[in-house]
Amino acid sequence: MTPQTAIVSALLCDLDAAPAPVRDTAGGMLLRSLGLTAPDPDYAASIRDGHTESLDDWTRRVLGRETP
């Protein structure tokens, strides 16, 4: 299991206990970070301006590079 998969799995498991507005917001962010939905215009603008990072970029920054 890659670090990305482990992180997303843990986050998704925790969503069941969250209130509906939190599930909607966090679920949308997770799906966008995985590239499974089109980003909304504000999110796309944030990416262009360098204010957000992909899940892969975040994982590399926080956990370091994967070792084969």
Side-chain angles (χ1 to χ4, degrees):
M1 178 182 288
T2 66
Q4 296 91 328
T5 306
I7 291 166
V8 171
S9 176
L11 291 171
L12 288 173
C13 287
D14 289 343
L15 276 180
D16 282 345
V22 172
R23 281 194 311 267
D24 292 344
T25 302
M29 285 185 222
L30 287 170
L31 292 174
R32 282 193 301 274
S33 72
L34 294 170
L36 299 176
T37 61
D40 60 46
D42 291 337
Y43 186 78
S46 293
I47 291 172
R48 279 194 309 276
D49 294 341
H51 299 300
T52 59
E53 58 191 343
S54 71
L55 182 59
D56 288 337
D57 292 339
W58 179 89
T59 303
R60 279 191 291 276
R61 180 174 58 81
V62 173
L63 302 177
R65 294 223 175 262
E66 287 184 51
T67 56

